[in-house]
Amino acid sequence: ITLVEVLDSAVQKLDTDLAGQPARKAELRNSLGRTYYFMNLPEKAVPLQEAALEYHRAESGPTSREAIWVMHNLAFSYWKAGRRPESIKMQEDLVALRTKVQGENDVDTIIAIATVAASYHKERRFDEAIKLLEKVVKLAGQALGPKHDYTLVQMESLAIVLEDAGRPEEAEVWRKKKAELEGEDSES
């Protein structure tokens, strides 16, 4: 018996074994979906996470912590399943929700914006990726500090996208800014 067979069996039992426990069933659907995702089986993850999201939106509302968490997971499953337009749309919706609920300067919101930028980059939507990464660098610098590792990583991400967009001079400017900030740390 394989792990996939065990998981498939657990999924089949959800509706009967947890018939009177819809919240627990939704939680397990999302967890099993994440497990399938990490096993590189997004086609099995997606329907479970879609059902979990539907439940959480109906019961807790679309801005609930649970719904937002499942959206995050489902967006990644969509991407891995080759459903990139759906993934990007969900990522964009997630940024809007996180901004509304948690604020633009919240670290989770900033990470969500960076995730959309990375997806735009992979889809060769360079101008959109650059615009978002400039915003991420600014917000991360405000929320975490300009010398924080995450801020510096996003500066490098911006430089990479600028290079890929055929703008090497601008990429070099960002790399110099990053190096200056890193140098200030080593001097103190």
Side-chain angles (χ1 to χ4, degrees):
I1 190 163
T2 68
L3 180 56
V4 174
E5 291 170 333
V6 170
L7 292 171
D8 289 346
S9 175
V11 168
Q12 290 174 351
K13 292 178 182 179
L14 282 176
D15 287 329
T16 55
D17 291 1
L18 297 175
Q21 302 175 58
R24 183 77 177 125
K25 184 170 26 174
E27 183 182 323
L28 285 172
R29 281 183 170 146
N30 186 47
S31 295
L32 288 165
R34 285 177 47 81
T35 303
Y36 280 128
Y37 169 86
F38 286 113
M39 293 178 67
N40 205 28
L41 297 167
E43 67 285 351
K44 290 181 178 268
V46 167
L48 292 168
Q49 292 169 322
E50 287 174 334
L53 180 57
E54 184 179 324
Y55 170 82
H56 287 302
R57 282 180 171 165
E59 292 299 315
S60 307
T63 60
S64 69
R65 183 180 58 81
E66 295 84 1
I68 289 172
W69 176 240
V70 176
M71 282 180 71
H72 169 85
N73 295 333
L74 181 55
F76 280 94
S77 292
Y78 279 153
W79 188 273
K80 193 176 262 192
R83 296 167 63 175
R84 289 183 170 192
E86 289 168 279
S87 175
I88 290 172
K89 173 73 170 98
M90 185 156 286
Q91 291 172 44
E92 293 165 340
D93 291 347
L94 192 55
V95 167
L97 281 172
R98 285 195 184 278
T99 300
K100 178 181 176 182
V101 174
Q102 298 164 277
E104 188 174 62
N105 290 318
D106 179 82
V107 173
D108 289 334
T109 303
I110 297 166
I111 292 169
I113 296 167
T115 300
V116 175
S119 295
Y120 287 166
H121 180 217
K122 290 174 187 169
E123 291 293 299
R124 306 189 60 77
R125 294 166 59 177
F126 298 126
D127 291 339
E128 293 166 285
I130 291 165
K131 182 178 174 185
L132 287 183
L133 283 170
E134 288 172 342
K135 183 177 186 174
V136 165
V137 169
K138 178 184 172 201
L139 292 172
Q142 292 169 350
L144 301 168
K147 297 178 185 178
H148 190 278
D149 286 344
Y150 186 80
T151 306
L152 297 172
V153 165
Q154 293 309 316
M155 286 180 164
E156 182 60 30
S157 295
L158 177 55
I160 290 167
V161 176
L162 284 163
E163 278 182 346
D164 289 349
R167 296 161 58 180
E169 298 83 13
E170 292 173 72
E172 187 56 31
V173 168
W174 280 103
R175 287 205 170 98
K176 284 181 182 176
K177 285 181 188 180
K178 178 180 174 255
E180 288 170 12
L181 290 168
E182 290 171 326
E184 289 174 14
D185 266 357
S186 64
E187 292 171 11
S188 45

